[in-house]
Amino acid sequence: MVKFQVVKNKLGTEGKAPYLPRTLLEGSLDIRNVIKALAYGSTATPPDVLAVLENLERVCIENLSQGRSVNLGFCILRPKVKGVFQNPEEAFSEDKHSVEVSIVPSQMFVKRVAIEAKTVRVAQGKILPLVISVENISSGAVDTLSSGDLVAIRGENLKFNKAELNQGVFLEKNGAEIRVSEYSQVTSKLVSFKTPNGIVIGESYRLRVRNLFGSEIRTGEMEQDVKAA
């Protein structure tokens, strides 16, 4: 079921579209559960599926980095150069430009999702930070981290004031929280930070994001715990 709210348009086009839909994500499917779902009912084991996915990632990186598009059937991946050039002769600079990846779903894929999706309108409630995924940039692992690792959180409504001690990313264990203090990027959809000292190897922690909405501090958290490794 795809949940949505109808909210007032604040984009400057309210004359033609006074109200717009806001889609509410209903949790997320992490890589571990994707692997389990793909292996279910087949002769492939979860390690088999993981090996195929790792090879797929390698093939995509190798070809995208060489300027090729990759057609996966249900979507096409393309490399894209982003940034602003002042003149035709200006050289590519990592300080001003970047290579990113665009993902374009196939028309059939979009059509099948639209056919199968059922929608329901829900009353407006409190907007909370939504943590969709946690990726360890330093090790490439998912949902595991060590002190000093650079970690990226993706989601929605994540932006906070990193100077305020009651806002930010927190790692909770048995009621005690460790606050992250070093951040390299904080936006509504992406937060990257350095894992703080004090986490215990082998222990699992509930990752939370806390920020300010109006005059109220609100909290969102990852559905699955992250593990210190």
Side-chain angles (χ1 to χ4, degrees), residues 119-134:
T119 61
V120 59
R121 177 175 172 173
V122 297
Q124 291 193 39
K126 288 185 177 180
I127 299 174
L128 298 175
L130 175 64
V131 181
I132 296 176
S133 65
V134 179

Side-chain angles (χ1 to χ4, degrees), residues 15 19 75 107 116 215:
Y19 292 87
C75 72
Q107 292 185 357
E116 295 191 23
S215 59

Side-chain angles (χ1 to χ4, degrees), residues 86-102:
Q86 300 302 319
N87 56 69
E89 290 75 31
E90 183 179 357
F92 180 96
S93 169
E94 292 185 357
D95 295 333
K96 299 170 57 178
H97 312 111
S98 63
V99 177
E100 300 181 3
V101 177
S102 71

Side-chain angles (χ1 to χ4, degrees), residues 74-227:
F74 64 92
C75 72
I76 298 176
L77 284 66
R78 296 188 179 100
K80 294 182 66 175
V81 175
K82 302 293 289 290
V84 176
F85 292 82
Q86 300 302 319
N87 56 69
E89 290 75 31
E90 183 179 357
F92 180 96
S93 169
E94 292 185 357
D95 295 333
K96 299 170 57 178
H97 312 111
S98 63
V99 177
E100 300 181 3
V101 177
S102 71
I103 303 176
V104 181
S106 70
Q107 292 185 357
M108 182 57 67
F109 180 76
V110 173
K111 183 177 181 180
R112 291 187 63 181
V113 172
I115 290 173
E116 295 191 23
K118 305 300 180 184
T119 61
V120 59
R121 177 175 172 173
V122 297
Q124 291 193 39
K126 288 185 177 180
I127 299 174
L128 298 175
L130 175 64
V131 181
I132 296 176
S133 65
V134 179
E135 180 184 1
N136 191 322
I137 304 301
S138 297
S139 68
V142 177
D143 297 345
T144 61
L145 43 81
S146 301
S147 295
D149 285 348
L150 178 62
V151 176
I153 299 174
R154 299 185 187 277
E156 293 185 359
N157 310 315
L158 299 177
K159 190 173 183 179
F160 52 81
N161 186 345
K162 59 185 178 183
E164 296 293 331
L165 296 181
N166 61 347
Q167 300 180 47
V169 178
F170 298 82
L171 297 170
E172 185 270 339
K173 175 70 176 179
N174 295 330
E177 290 184 332
I178 301 174
R179 181 181 181 273
V180 173
S181 59
E182 297 184 55
Y183 301 92
S184 57
Q185 186 172 1
V186 178
T187 70
S188 179
K189 296 183 180 295
L190 173 65
V191 174
S192 55
F193 63 89
K194 182 179 179 181
T195 305
N197 294 325
I199 61 173
V200 180
I201 293 178
E203 295 288 347
S204 295
Y205 294 83
R206 180 55 53 100
L207 188 147
R208 293 173 173 162
V209 175
R210 193 167 290 136
N211 54 18
L212 184 67
F213 285 85
S215 59
E216 182 182 2
I217 294 292
R218 298 180 186 173
T219 302
E221 60 182 35
M222 188 72 180
E223 291 181 348
Q224 298 84 23
D225 289 349
V226 294
K227 190 172 185 179

